[in-house]
């Protein structure tokens, strides 16, 4: 169950990134997978999966700056 919830969360974050940055979903996916936030989100010891999607998108945008 955790994997399906995480997959949906990641999908939502990617679509939010695409909308905010005005890029296509494929480019947003590439950006997302290149971030430290993604690596930490995938690792349960950080607990980022408990954070809101908006919070995580802000982290990613900060990383990209």
């Amino acid at each position: 169950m955790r994997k399906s919830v995480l997959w949906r969360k990641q999908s939502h974050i990617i679509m939010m990134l695409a909308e905010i940055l005005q890029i296509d979903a494929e480019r947003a996916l590439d950006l997302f997978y290149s971030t430290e936030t993604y690596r930490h989100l995938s690792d349960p010891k950080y607990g980022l999966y408990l954070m809101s999607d908006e919070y995580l998108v802000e982290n990613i945008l900060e990383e990209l700056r």
Side-chain angles (χ1 to χ4, degrees), residues 3 6 10 13-14 17-18 25-26 30 42-43 46 49 51-52 55:
K3 286 186 180 191
L6 185 58
Q10 290 173 344
I13 290 167
I14 291 163
L17 281 173
E26 187 175 338
D30 288 341
S42 302
D43 190 340
Y46 291 101
Y49 61 92
M51 302 303 189
S52 73
Y55 174 84

Side-chain angles (χ1 to χ4, degrees), residues 22-40:
Q22 298 180 347
I23 57 177
D24 63 38
E26 187 175 338
R27 177 74 179 125
L29 182 68
D30 288 341
L31 285 174
F32 175 70
Y33 284 136
S34 72
T35 65
E36 196 69 26
T37 301
Y38 162 70
R39 285 186 283 286
H40 288 174

Side-chain angles (χ1 to χ4, degrees), residues 46-59:
Y46 291 101
L48 283 183
Y49 61 92
L50 300 172
M51 302 303 189
S52 73
D53 297 349
E54 292 79 9
Y55 174 84
L56 294 169
V57 167
E58 285 301 318
N59 272 1

